[in-house]
Every structure is written in structure tokens, then in C-alpha cells.
Amino acid sequence: MARSLTGLSRKKFGEKTTINTATLRAWEKGINPIKPITAMHLSQAFQKCGVNCSPDWLLLGEGSGPTLSATMKSQGSEGNRSFRKEITIQT
């Protein structure tokens, strides 16, 4: 859900964050759990992509779900696709 708000496919999000596509798929489908430190880094990556998503939500599904930041809402979904900075996440 959070990744879909970025407007990026798994492949594109993986390229931007250096996360393997298979790893993303396993996290999104609940096959493999996300480690707490990874959730923090992933939350930061989402913020840089214009999506507010807390580490607690990523880890436990608790709290507010992911939302577009005010900046991204004003730019529309095309603003998300212009994200260019590469983010490295250690898994």
C-alpha cells in the first residue's frame, strides 16, 4: 500500500532504494518480516518519495496508514514519478 502511493512499481522503487524486487515482494506479501532498523530506513525512503509512513505501521500495521505528503498531494501523482534520488536501505 505505501509503495503504491509513490506511483512506482516494485522494480522502480527497488531501483530507487537499492532493495531487491524479490525482497520487496516478500515484505509486501508478509512472507518475510521487516526488521525494525529496516522499517526506519524504509519509512525515511517513503518520506523522500512523498509518502508519510511510520516504522510502526510497517512493522505492526498499527497507527495511521500511509498517506501522501501535502507537497505530493499538491503536485498530483505525477510528482511522485519524478523522484530521482537513489536511497540505499540495508536489509
Side-chain angles (χ1 to χ4, degrees):
M1 179 177 174
R3 182 188 47 81
S4 65
L5 288 176
T6 68
L8 299 170
S9 66
R10 260 189 212 120
K11 181 179 177 181
K12 291 290 185 187
F13 189 77
E15 290 171 359
K16 302 290 183 203
T17 61
T18 67
I19 299 173
N20 180 288
T21 304
T23 301
L24 278 171
R25 185 182 317 110
W27 287 341
E28 290 177 350
K29 293 187 177 272
I31 297 168
N32 293 336
I34 297 174
K35 296 175 186 175
I37 190 71
T38 303
M40 272 190 350
H41 292 295
L42 196 51
S43 175
Q44 292 168 353
F46 280 126
Q47 287 177 346
K48 290 179 180 180
C49 289
V51 175
N52 298 319
C53 185
S54 74
D56 286 339
W57 188 86
L58 290 168
L59 287 168
L60 308 168
E62 295 178 354
S64 298
T67 59
L68 284 175
S69 69
T71 303
M72 297 315 286
K73 284 180 185 177
S74 67
Q75 292 178 359
S77 61
E78 290 304 311
N80 295 337
R81 297 181 206 307
S82 67
F83 179 72
R84 296 267 188 259
K85 185 175 180 182
E86 187 171 291
I87 303 162
T88 301
I89 297 189
Q90 297 177 356
T91 56

PDB file of all heavy atoms in Angstrom, residues 10 22-32:
ATOM      1  N   ARG A  10       7.270  -2.060  -8.187  1.00  0.00           N
ATOM      2  CA  ARG A  10       8.266  -2.692  -7.323  1.00  0.00           C
ATOM      3  C   ARG A  10       9.659  -2.524  -7.910  1.00  0.00           C
ATOM      4  O   ARG A  10      10.612  -2.213  -7.193  1.00  0.00           O
ATOM      5  CB  ARG A  10       7.972  -4.187  -7.181  1.00  0.00           C
ATOM      6  CG  ARG A  10       7.295  -4.541  -5.925  1.00  0.00           C
ATOM      7  CD  ARG A  10       7.247  -6.056  -5.756  1.00  0.00           C
ATOM      8  NE  ARG A  10       6.030  -6.351  -5.033  1.00  0.00           N
ATOM      9  CZ  ARG A  10       5.047  -7.102  -5.481  1.00  0.00           C
ATOM     10  NH1 ARG A  10       5.128  -7.709  -6.627  1.00  0.00           N
ATOM     11  NH2 ARG A  10       3.978  -7.278  -4.753  1.00  0.00           N
ATOM     12  N   ALA A  22      12.586  -9.050  -5.230  1.00  0.00           N
ATOM     13  CA  ALA A  22      12.076 -10.228  -4.524  1.00  0.00           C
ATOM     14  C   ALA A  22      11.915  -9.940  -3.029  1.00  0.00           C
ATOM     15  O   ALA A  22      10.955 -10.400  -2.396  1.00  0.00           O
ATOM     16  CB  ALA A  22      13.002 -11.422  -4.736  1.00  0.00           C
ATOM     17  N   THR A  23      12.824  -9.154  -2.467  1.00  0.00           N
ATOM     18  CA  THR A  23      12.725  -8.769  -1.055  1.00  0.00           C
ATOM     19  C   THR A  23      11.491  -7.910  -0.832  1.00  0.00           C
ATOM     20  O   THR A  23      10.739  -8.126   0.126  1.00  0.00           O
ATOM     21  CB  THR A  23      13.999  -8.019  -0.606  1.00  0.00           C
ATOM     22  OG1 THR A  23      15.132  -8.867  -0.805  1.00  0.00           O
ATOM     23  CG2 THR A  23      13.911  -7.588   0.844  1.00  0.00           C
ATOM     24  N   LEU A  24      11.272  -6.932  -1.713  1.00  0.00           N
ATOM     25  CA  LEU A  24      10.076  -6.085  -1.611  1.00  0.00           C
ATOM     26  C   LEU A  24       8.808  -6.931  -1.676  1.00  0.00           C
ATOM     27  O   LEU A  24       7.893  -6.753  -0.871  1.00  0.00           O
ATOM     28  CB  LEU A  24      10.044  -5.057  -2.748  1.00  0.00           C
ATOM     29  CG  LEU A  24      10.864  -3.798  -2.571  1.00  0.00           C
ATOM     30  CD1 LEU A  24      10.895  -3.001  -3.866  1.00  0.00           C
ATOM     31  CD2 LEU A  24      10.331  -2.965  -1.441  1.00  0.00           C
ATOM     32  N   ARG A  25       8.766  -7.845  -2.624  1.00  0.00           N
ATOM     33  CA  ARG A  25       7.596  -8.708  -2.790  1.00  0.00           C
ATOM     34  C   ARG A  25       7.356  -9.523  -1.513  1.00  0.00           C
ATOM     35  O   ARG A  25       6.225  -9.615  -1.042  1.00  0.00           O
ATOM     36  CB  ARG A  25       7.777  -9.650  -3.983  1.00  0.00           C
ATOM     37  CG  ARG A  25       6.557 -10.486  -4.278  1.00  0.00           C
ATOM     38  CD  ARG A  25       6.741 -11.467  -5.446  1.00  0.00           C
ATOM     39  NE  ARG A  25       7.439 -10.903  -6.594  1.00  0.00           N
ATOM     40  CZ  ARG A  25       8.671 -11.250  -6.973  1.00  0.00           C
ATOM     41  NH1 ARG A  25       9.356 -12.155  -6.309  1.00  0.00           N
ATOM     42  NH2 ARG A  25       9.224 -10.704  -8.042  1.00  0.00           N
ATOM     43  N   ALA A  26       8.414 -10.082  -0.948  1.00  0.00           N
ATOM     44  CA  ALA A  26       8.277 -10.891   0.267  1.00  0.00           C
ATOM     45  C   ALA A  26       7.778 -10.045   1.441  1.00  0.00           C
ATOM     46  O   ALA A  26       6.951 -10.503   2.231  1.00  0.00           O
ATOM     47  CB  ALA A  26       9.617 -11.552   0.610  1.00  0.00           C
ATOM     48  N   TRP A  27       8.253  -8.804   1.556  1.00  0.00           N
ATOM     49  CA  TRP A  27       7.760  -7.921   2.623  1.00  0.00           C
ATOM     50  C   TRP A  27       6.295  -7.577   2.392  1.00  0.00           C
ATOM     51  O   TRP A  27       5.482  -7.634   3.308  1.00  0.00           O
ATOM     52  CB  TRP A  27       8.560  -6.625   2.668  1.00  0.00           C
ATOM     53  CG  TRP A  27       9.949  -6.743   3.211  1.00  0.00           C
ATOM     54  CD1 TRP A  27      10.468  -7.751   3.992  1.00  0.00           C
ATOM     55  CD2 TRP A  27      11.006  -5.810   3.022  1.00  0.00           C
ATOM     56  NE1 TRP A  27      11.775  -7.500   4.280  1.00  0.00           N
ATOM     57  CE2 TRP A  27      12.131  -6.307   3.704  1.00  0.00           C
ATOM     58  CE3 TRP A  27      11.107  -4.615   2.337  1.00  0.00           C
ATOM     59  CZ2 TRP A  27      13.357  -5.634   3.735  1.00  0.00           C
ATOM     60  CZ3 TRP A  27      12.313  -3.947   2.371  1.00  0.00           C
ATOM     61  CH2 TRP A  27      13.424  -4.453   3.060  1.00  0.00           C
ATOM     62  N   GLU A  28       5.966  -7.189   1.168  1.00  0.00           N
ATOM     63  CA  GLU A  28       4.600  -6.767   0.872  1.00  0.00           C
ATOM     64  C   GLU A  28       3.587  -7.889   1.032  1.00  0.00           C
ATOM     65  O   GLU A  28       2.443  -7.650   1.405  1.00  0.00           O
ATOM     66  CB  GLU A  28       4.526  -6.190  -0.548  1.00  0.00           C
ATOM     67  CG  GLU A  28       5.239  -4.868  -0.678  1.00  0.00           C
ATOM     68  CD  GLU A  28       5.254  -4.302  -2.084  1.00  0.00           C
ATOM     69  OE1 GLU A  28       4.873  -5.001  -3.045  1.00  0.00           O
ATOM     70  OE2 GLU A  28       5.641  -3.134  -2.223  1.00  0.00           O
ATOM     71  N   LYS A  29       3.996  -9.103   0.768  1.00  0.00           N
ATOM     72  CA  LYS A  29       3.079 -10.243   0.890  1.00  0.00           C
ATOM     73  C   LYS A  29       3.124 -10.880   2.275  1.00  0.00           C
ATOM     74  O   LYS A  29       2.402 -11.833   2.543  1.00  0.00           O
ATOM     75  CB  LYS A  29       3.387 -11.280  -0.184  1.00  0.00           C
ATOM     76  CG  LYS A  29       3.089 -10.780  -1.578  1.00  0.00           C
ATOM     77  CD  LYS A  29       3.243 -11.881  -2.600  1.00  0.00           C
ATOM     78  CE  LYS A  29       2.874 -11.371  -3.968  1.00  0.00           C
ATOM     79  NZ  LYS A  29       1.479 -11.507  -4.266  1.00  0.00           N
ATOM     80  N   GLY A  30       3.970 -10.347   3.169  1.00  0.00           N
ATOM     81  CA  GLY A  30       4.055 -10.870   4.525  1.00  0.00           C
ATOM     82  C   GLY A  30       4.815 -12.183   4.630  1.00  0.00           C
ATOM     83  O   GLY A  30       4.725 -12.877   5.641  1.00  0.00           O
ATOM     84  N   ILE A  31       5.579 -12.535   3.608  1.00  0.00           N
ATOM     85  CA  ILE A  31       6.350 -13.779   3.627  1.00  0.00           C
ATOM     86  C   ILE A  31       7.540 -13.645   4.570  1.00  0.00           C
ATOM     87  O   ILE A  31       7.836 -14.551   5.344  1.00  0.00           O
ATOM     88  CB  ILE A  31       6.807 -14.151   2.201  1.00  0.00           C
ATOM     89  CG1 ILE A  31       5.572 -14.415   1.327  1.00  0.00           C
ATOM     90  CG2 ILE A  31       7.749 -15.340   2.209  1.00  0.00           C
ATOM     91  CD1 ILE A  31       5.872 -14.501  -0.161  1.00  0.00           C
ATOM     92  N   ASN A  32       8.235 -12.526   4.487  1.00  0.00           N
ATOM     93  CA  ASN A  32       9.368 -12.240   5.371  1.00  0.00           C
ATOM     94  C   ASN A  32       9.066 -10.993   6.193  1.00  0.00           C
ATOM     95  O   ASN A  32       8.593  -9.998   5.645  1.00  0.00           O
ATOM     96  CB  ASN A  32      10.650 -11.999   4.569  1.00  0.00           C
ATOM     97  CG  ASN A  32      11.139 -13.228   3.858  1.00  0.00           C
ATOM     98  OD1 ASN A  32      10.846 -14.352   4.250  1.00  0.00           O
ATOM     99  ND2 ASN A  32      11.887 -13.031   2.793  1.00  0.00           N
TER     100      ASN A  32
END
